[in-house]
Amino acid sequence: MGEVERYRDTPIFFRVTEDEKSQLKKNMRQAGYETLGSYLLKMGLEGIIVNVDFSELRGALGDIGSLRNEFNRIGNNINQVTKHVNESHEIDDMDVYLLQEEVNAMKEQIAHFERTVVERFNEKLRQLGVD
């Protein structure tokens, strides 16, 4: 038998682990391809790799630390009020007012954090062309 003349005549070889090969075959079947070569060629030539840089969101995620500190502060204040109530068996209006102010501040901070994260995430999606 003679050699078959092929349109694609330049081979490419690379090594993978058994797990990687299994994953590639799984992806190949899910994409509807019958051969691994045709799947890899299609993905290599036309596949899309999306790299998303979420570094801009790190500032918003840094707010989590602020929220955690705020929660700790509020917890400490509640513990102090509870101790005072247990010792004196009474609570004054100022203690209740301070607790309400702390809780309101926490709610505002959480709302701000949520808005910031959603805005930055939506901006990233717009940059990627996702509507």
Side-chain angles (χ1 to χ4, degrees):
M1 280 198 217
E3 230 180 89
V4 177
E5 195 171 316
R6 297 180 181 264
Y7 169 72
R8 294 185 176 99
D9 58 357
T10 306
I12 296 177
F13 299 99
F14 63 97
R15 296 186 180 277
V16 295
T17 65
E18 279 300 319
D19 289 341
E20 291 168 335
K21 184 176 179 182
S22 294
Q23 185 63 48
L24 284 170
K25 285 188 171 190
K26 179 181 173 191
N27 294 349
M28 171 197 78
R29 285 188 295 276
Q30 287 176 344
Y33 284 85
E34 301 211 7
T35 65
L36 191 54
S38 61
Y39 169 73
L40 293 173
L41 183 63
K42 182 74 170 179
M43 289 303 294
L45 294 175
E46 299 176 22
I48 297 173
I49 296 174
V50 177
N51 289 319
V52 181
D53 179 15
F54 285 105
S55 61
E56 296 168 16
L57 294 177
R58 287 190 185 130
L61 296 176
D63 288 343
I64 290 175
S66 298
L67 285 173
R68 190 174 296 133
N69 289 338
E70 190 72 20
F71 278 124
N72 288 339
R73 214 174 95 220
I74 291 168
N76 289 338
N77 289 344
I78 290 172
N79 288 339
Q80 289 172 4
V81 170
T82 303
K83 181 181 177 194
H84 173 74
V85 169
N86 285 334
E87 288 173 352
S88 67
H89 301 292
E90 63 181 52
I91 187 168
D92 63 13
D93 291 340
M94 183 54 90
D95 290 332
V96 172
Y97 174 77
L98 290 174
L99 268 178
Q100 287 175 333
E101 287 299 308
E102 291 290 330
V103 170
N104 290 338
M106 179 185 65
K107 286 179 183 177
E108 280 183 38
Q109 223 175 359
I110 290 171
H112 172 72
F113 171 72
E114 289 172 343
R115 283 191 304 274
T116 302
V117 169
V118 169
E119 287 169 5
R120 291 186 183 175
F121 188 74
N122 286 336
E123 178 59 32
K124 276 294 176 189
L125 290 176
R126 278 192 293 280
Q127 289 173 0
L128 292 171
V130 178
D131 290 323

